[in-house]
Amino acid sequence: MQIFGVDIGGSGIKGAPVDLDRGDLAQERHKVLTPHPATPDGVADGVRQVVEHFEWTGPVGLTFPGVVTAGSTVRTAANVDKGWIDTDARALFSERLGGLPVTVVNDADAAGVAEMRFGAGRGRRGTVILLTFGTGIGSAVFSEGVLVTNTELGHLELDGHDAEKRASSKVKEDHDMSWEQWGHRVRAYLAHVEMLFSPELFIIGGGVSRKAQKFLPYLDGIRAEIAPAQLQNNAGIVGAAMRAAEQGTTTG
């Protein structure tokens, strides 16, 4: 079975049909740049370009980098235009996609459900926390396999700042930090999260998961096991498709 997944990030909008039996992309993903400012209309146009690239006509699952309530209303917009707040994201994207069935979920939550079923969290119980390091820091918290939605742990205070303003991969790039320098900031952040939640496992997601060997050695002193996301930067696409499938409309 295939469903289309789209991952909306602060820098790029990427998507592809997803094989839900394998938990992997059915075709090579297509990516367009996220517009700046990332207004609702601009992002919706980018999503349309990605979906139309594949001539897709079935259900679509989408991630959003912020809190999305069960009714699909956007509540936060830290790394996109503030015009998103109180937008009905599902209605907007469905209209822009010609009425296709649409499901919208928080981006880190989508990555988390994919990793828990197909990746580094498969079969793990207890408390598992996935953290995505990108333009910001997203989080997905699982207790005994059950997702606690919209946790937004990237906005915990760290050294007097939003944690994502200290330890996101964008901060590393903006300040030309070495892997060691950035790794020490990530370690401080993980130590803070660990103090609050005492997880058995941290899963490190986002684009940096492809280069885990460059920073994992600097995450010493953390009691929880630390593992890079196995689906790497495709986890959001896969998770978005999984969530769309759970809405009961499928194709392929």
Side-chain angles (χ1 to χ4, degrees):
M1 182 201 318
Q2 293 184 16
I3 287 189
F4 203 90
V6 179
D7 190 13
I8 299 169
S11 60
I13 301 169
K14 50 191 181 292
V18 174
D19 183 329
L20 292 177
D21 297 318
R22 296 187 298 113
D24 199 1
L25 307 190
Q27 299 183 49
E28 184 176 349
R29 72 187 190 186
H30 181 66
K31 179 178 179 179
V32 300
L33 295 178
T34 302
H36 292 286
T39 61
D41 278 342
V43 171
D45 282 341
V47 168
R48 178 180 52 79
Q49 292 175 43
V50 171
V51 174
E52 288 183 349
H53 175 81
F54 293 90
E55 300 180 346
W56 187 261
T57 58
V60 177
L62 299 112
T63 76
F64 183 80
V67 170
V68 183
T69 65
S72 91
T73 301
V74 174
R75 295 300 186 202
T76 66
N79 295 303
V80 289
D81 189 81
K82 302 306 179 190
W84 275 104
I85 295 176
D86 293 330
T87 294
D88 184 335
R90 182 169 55 205
L92 171 65
F93 288 123
S94 183
E95 182 276 330
R96 200 60 54 93
L97 296 176
L100 296 182
V102 167
T103 301
V104 186
V105 296
N106 172 267
D107 55 352
D109 285 351
V113 298
E115 283 293 325
M116 290 297 284
R117 183 177 299 181
F118 297 108
R122 188 173 186 174
R124 298 297 294 262
R125 308 302 293 179
T127 301
V128 178
I129 299 180
L130 173 133
L131 298 166
T132 59
F133 291 84
T135 303
I137 298 176
S139 62
V141 177
F142 295 84
S143 177
E144 299 299 331
V146 178
L147 172 67
V148 181
T149 61
N150 292 313
T151 47
E152 294 289 284
L153 301 184
H155 299 297
L156 290 172
E157 184 177 317
L158 183 65
D159 298 331
H161 302 274
D162 247 19
E164 67 178 26
K165 302 300 184 185
R166 296 283 298 167
S168 69
S169 63
K170 183 178 187 296
V171 169
K172 178 186 181 302
E173 295 169 5
D174 288 349
H175 296 277
D176 196 25
M177 300 171 70
S178 69
W179 286 106
E180 181 177 4
Q181 290 172 316
W182 183 71
H184 289 316
R185 289 196 179 190
V186 173
R187 188 200 62 76
Y189 172 60
L190 294 183
H192 187 50
V193 176
E194 183 170 60
M195 180 269 294
L196 294 170
F197 293 94
S198 301
E200 281 74 32
L201 172 66
F202 281 118
I203 302 173
I204 306 299
V208 294
S209 59
R210 297 190 302 267
K211 302 176 181 178
Q213 72 282 357
K214 294 183 180 292
F215 62 87
L216 286 181
Y218 305 114
L219 305 184
D220 57 302
I222 304 299
R223 293 186 176 185
E225 181 184 346
I226 302 173
Q230 292 180 9
L231 279 66
Q232 299 183 348
N233 215 19
N234 289 334
I237 298 174
V238 174
M242 290 170 61
R243 279 304 200 216
E246 291 169 6
Q247 301 303 307
T249 51
T250 60
T251 190

